[in-house]
Amino acid sequence: MLVEPKKMVPPDGGWGWVAVIGVSIVNLCTRSIEPSFGLLFGDLLTELGVETTGAALIMSTLDALINFSGLLVGPLIRAFSYRKVSLVGAALCGLGLVLTSPARSMAHILATYSIINGLGVGLTASATFVALNHYFVKRRGQAVGFSLAGTAFGMMLMPQAVRLLLEAYDFRGAILVLGGVAFHALAGSTLLQPAEWHFVPEIRDEEQGDCPKEMETIKEIEDEDGESPENGQTQTLINVKTNPDLTSKLFDDHSKKSSAAFPRNFSTMSFITRGRKSSIISNYSNISNMDFTGSSLQLHLQSTEDTASTLTISEGVRMRRNMSYPAVQLNSHHKLIKDFPREPLQFEPKKKETMWKKVVHFMDLDLLKDPIYLNLVFGLSIFYVAEQNFKMVTPFFFASIGYDKMNTALFLSVQALTDILARLVLPPICDRVTITKRTLFMIGIFLVGICRSILAEQTEYTMIMIWLVICGFVRGAALINFTITISEYSTLEKLPAAFGLHMVGKGLFVVALGPVLGYIRDSTQSYPLCLHSQTFLIMLCCVAWSIEYIIRWLKLRKEDTKSDTT
């Protein structure tokens, strides 16, 4: 009896939830400082004589390093592991913040905070995302949403913490403390054990039943209905008529152990290509080269001791249905052998790959030929630019309409609180709906753009709080599906490369459009106009994806029409 080995699959839980906690710790320690950038660096940038443009340059460089590190992610994870990459990234984050404490120039801030810290954040973000996708399949949305809750929780606490640290230790002491907090990401990274250590056997649904699988070997026994020959004797599959010794040598041992005949699941082709051998040894070679995954015909080998052996299929043999292709019936076996090409197989010499092709294969750059993937990266990158610029500009916007640091920190905390609520409540719901994560994300960012444009026109305390609550919730609803849109489209093998190239795309757009948004604010002296320009970028993402959906729908409708006509 053949026992099929069980397939090992991700646990979709178990240690995976511990990995989720580890990712939350990493996100809390490395990314929660970003929305408080204006609050933390505001006084220092004022002393250096740079305002919004300088802040935009620092944040754009930071984002560029975060995202351009995606070029390294795929090869690094393939060569080492996502846990080791996350550990190195966490160490770089803490080191970059600590080295920023004595900064007295823009160049110093760019070198330490933007470059060193940015590279570390990029490595940890990519490694932790890949780790979660190895642990979860069906509950991937919940896992990613819960892990991002660490970021949102940090965004809620960090503005208050930064305010208190600035009051107690000034900028240089505050950045040192935050650097120590970032080093705690090392503890979270150690929890990202290889997912293969925790794989579990696949559990099949009862609806599948015990039906034989494709390519399954089926043995026929002596008393099987309708299969025994008319004379009532056991019929063997291979019959060498001219050499009884050979026949007994091959089959006696098997017949002693069981009354079952030789398994009836091997390919005819393994005999056809060797049918013109000139010795009895060809019988051995034919038998030894059986293909146990092909069609199931009864074959008889006829040979003479002094002439070349021939391959024939007996006239009265009954045909059995092919298990690999159940709907195919072989009606004319004589014609099959007659039409089969008898030329020897020829193999073309393998072409030597060029260095560029090796690089393309190693980094999976063939993804850049996929227009759907490119449009996906375009939309995500456009939204990312708007999101990063909003986090940078918001503290300056509140200051411009007369609110102090305490009120600004409260506003940011309230927005982060509703963000956390959305990330905890919505992922289980999103995993159960039939709508794709990409469509859910597009709906979410559409609402985000509208709410932020409304917020930009508010000046009263109560209305600002109301719209910050709404903005925080819809932002959390959108961001829980932000990275999943990549894993939803890509295979697990290409996921590190797909995510890395997606990060590179974000970096390019941040470098290109980040300073433009800063220039719009400085040239117009209007923060509301800057927020409206961010909404414009978000709507560009929605328009690009909507056009793709329409084109795909029209193609599908055209194909359905052709199939109906046929």
Side-chain angles (χ1 to χ4, degrees):
M1 180 178 180
L2 297 178
V3 179
E4 182 184 358
K6 291 186 178 180
K7 181 181 178 182
M8 304 301 289
V9 296
D12 254 331
W15 188 265
W17 296 120
V18 179
V20 169
I21 295 174
V23 175
S24 298
I25 294 173
V26 173
N27 290 335
L28 172 65
C29 298
T30 60
R31 307 219 65 171
S32 57
I33 191 178
E34 293 176 10
S36 304
F37 171 81
L39 195 62
L40 179 62
F41 284 86
D43 293 339
L44 178 62
L45 294 178
T46 302
E47 292 177 7
L48 297 177
V50 292
E51 296 181 357
T52 310
T53 304
L57 179 60
I58 294 173
M59 292 300 293
S60 297
T61 307
L62 173 70
D63 289 333
L65 264 296
I66 291 175
N67 294 299
F68 286 139
S69 64
L71 286 174
L72 308 174
V73 169
L76 286 177
I77 292 179
R78 188 179 303 175
F80 303 101
S81 67
Y82 43 76
R83 180 161 64 169
K84 293 179 181 178
V85 174
S86 181
L87 286 169
V88 173
L92 290 175
C93 287
L95 183 63
L97 291 176
V98 169
L99 294 178
T100 307
S101 60
R104 296 184 181 278
S105 64
M106 279 286 297
H108 190 152
I109 298 175
L110 289 172
T112 56
Y113 181 77
S114 298
I115 297 177
I116 298 178
N117 175 63
L119 181 61
V121 172
L123 293 179
T124 54
S126 303
T128 52
F129 177 70
V130 173
L132 290 182
N133 279 271
H134 278 78
Y135 273 103
F136 293 90
V137 178
K138 296 180 181 178
R139 299 179 180 177
R140 186 174 294 169
Q142 298 180 43
V144 174
F146 293 161
S147 67
L148 292 177
T151 306
F153 184 72
M155 291 178 180
M156 180 183 68
L157 297 180
M158 196 56 67
Q160 302 296 334
V162 168
R163 180 181 63 82
L164 294 175
L165 289 173
L166 288 174
E167 292 176 357
Y169 302 109
D170 202 4
F171 167 78
R172 309 194 188 286
I175 200 72
L176 277 175
V177 174
L178 294 175
V181 172
F183 275 118
H184 286 75
L186 293 169
S189 300
T190 57
L191 300 178
L192 304 179
Q193 296 181 357
E196 293 78 8
W197 293 2
H198 305 280
F199 275 14
V200 297
E202 182 181 21
I203 300 176
R204 299 177 185 172
D205 297 334
E206 296 180 358
E207 298 178 356
Q208 295 179 356
D210 298 328
C211 300
K213 290 184 176 182
E214 184 179 351
M215 314 302 287
E216 182 179 6
T217 300
I218 297 181
K219 297 182 180 181
E220 55 180 11
I221 60 176
E222 187 176 13
D223 57 350
E224 187 178 353
D225 296 337
E227 291 296 323
S228 59
E230 296 179 0
N231 56 9
Q233 299 178 354
T234 302
Q235 183 178 3
T236 58
L237 190 61
I238 301 180
N239 188 6
V240 183
K241 296 182 178 181
T242 60
N243 195 333
D245 294 335
L246 176 62
T247 307
S248 60
K249 184 176 181 180
L250 293 173
F251 298 104
D252 282 351
D253 292 340
H254 177 70
S255 61
K256 289 177 182 178
K257 295 180 182 178
S258 172
S259 60
F262 199 81
R264 223 188 224 198
N265 193 7
F266 57 90
S267 175
T268 315
M269 303 308 159
S270 61
F271 291 96
I272 294 175
T273 58
R274 298 177 175 86
R276 295 193 295 270
K277 297 293 182 181
S278 59
S279 73
I280 290 178
I281 300 178
S282 64
N283 295 318
Y284 287 99
S285 63
N286 288 336
I287 294 169
S288 65
N289 286 283
M290 289 177 187
D291 175 11
F292 288 89
T293 59
S295 59
S296 9
L297 294 177
Q298 290 179 324
L299 303 179
H300 295 266
L301 292 177
Q302 297 178 348
S303 62
T304 59
E305 297 180 359
D306 54 348
T307 61
S309 60
T310 59
L311 173 65
T312 62
I313 301 179
S314 52
E315 297 289 342
V317 71
R318 283 184 291 275
M319 313 300 272
R320 169 168 282 227
R321 203 174 188 190
N322 189 337
M323 296 308 298
S324 301
Y325 304 94
V328 178
Q329 298 288 342
L330 302 178
N331 296 321
S332 178
H333 44 274
H334 287 295
K335 187 175 185 300
L336 173 66
I337 297 178
K338 180 180 178 181
D339 294 343
F340 190 83
R342 298 177 180 269
E343 292 77 9
L345 296 177
Q346 297 181 356
F347 298 95
E348 295 182 0
K350 188 177 180 180
K351 297 181 179 179
K352 188 176 181 180
E353 291 185 348
T354 62
M355 182 58 67
W356 172 247
K357 289 184 178 180
K358 290 181 180 180
V359 172
V360 170
H361 177 72
F362 183 71
M363 303 188 67
D364 290 321
L365 295 180
D366 55 329
L367 288 168
L368 300 179
K369 297 180 180 179
D370 188 349
I372 297 178
Y373 174 76
L374 292 178
N375 191 34
L376 177 63
V377 171
F378 170 79
L380 294 176
S381 302
I382 287 291
F383 170 76
Y384 184 81
V385 174
E387 176 65 23
Q388 292 299 102
N389 192 262
F390 177 80
K391 290 190 294 185
M392 181 193 69
V393 169
T394 304
F396 296 102
F397 167 65
F398 293 139
S400 68
I401 56 179
Y403 293 98
D404 58 13
K405 291 183 179 180
M406 182 176 295
N407 288 326
T408 300
L410 179 62
F411 290 155
L412 297 178
S413 298
V414 168
Q415 181 181 234
L417 178 63
T418 55
D419 191 330
I420 293 175
L421 180 64
R423 299 186 193 217
L424 294 177
V425 173
L426 295 181
I429 300 175
C430 294
D431 282 345
R432 286 171 172 79
V433 299
T434 57
I435 304 175
T436 62
K437 298 294 190 293
R438 184 178 177 184
T439 303
L440 291 174
F441 175 74
M442 184 173 67
I443 295 172
I445 63 173
F446 180 81
L447 297 176
V448 166
I450 293 177
C451 292
R452 287 180 178 176
S453 289
I454 296 175
L455 175 66
E457 301 299 327
Q458 308 302 319
T459 56
E460 296 183 2
Y461 184 89
T462 304
M463 295 303 297
I464 289 176
M465 291 292 290
I466 292 175
W467 283 106
L468 280 175
V469 168
I470 299 174
C471 286
F473 189 85
V474 294
R475 177 182 182 272
L479 290 182
I480 58 175
N481 297 312
F482 180 76
T483 54
I484 302 181
T485 56
I486 296 293
S487 58
E488 183 183 52
Y489 182 75
S490 174
T491 61
L492 194 60
E493 292 77 13
K494 287 185 174 292
L495 181 60
F499 191 76
L501 292 175
H502 145 71
M503 292 181 65
V504 173
K506 291 193 302 182
L508 292 174
F509 277 85
V510 166
V511 171
L513 298 180
V516 173
L517 294 178
Y519 177 76
I520 291 175
R521 212 298 310 170
D522 289 342
S523 61
T524 61
Q525 296 295 315
S526 171
Y527 283 103
L529 186 59
C530 182
L531 295 176
H532 291 318
S533 63
Q534 298 166 13
T535 300
F536 174 76
L537 293 180
I538 292 175
M539 294 307 168
L540 278 182
C541 171
C542 297
V543 171
W545 287 4
S546 299
I547 292 174
E548 178 197 325
Y549 282 3
I550 294 173
I551 293 175
R552 291 170 63 183
W553 178 76
L554 292 175
K555 287 184 178 180
L556 183 60
R557 183 179 180 184
K558 186 177 181 181
E559 292 176 358
D560 291 341
T561 304
K562 288 183 179 179
S563 61
D564 292 341
T565 305
T566 304

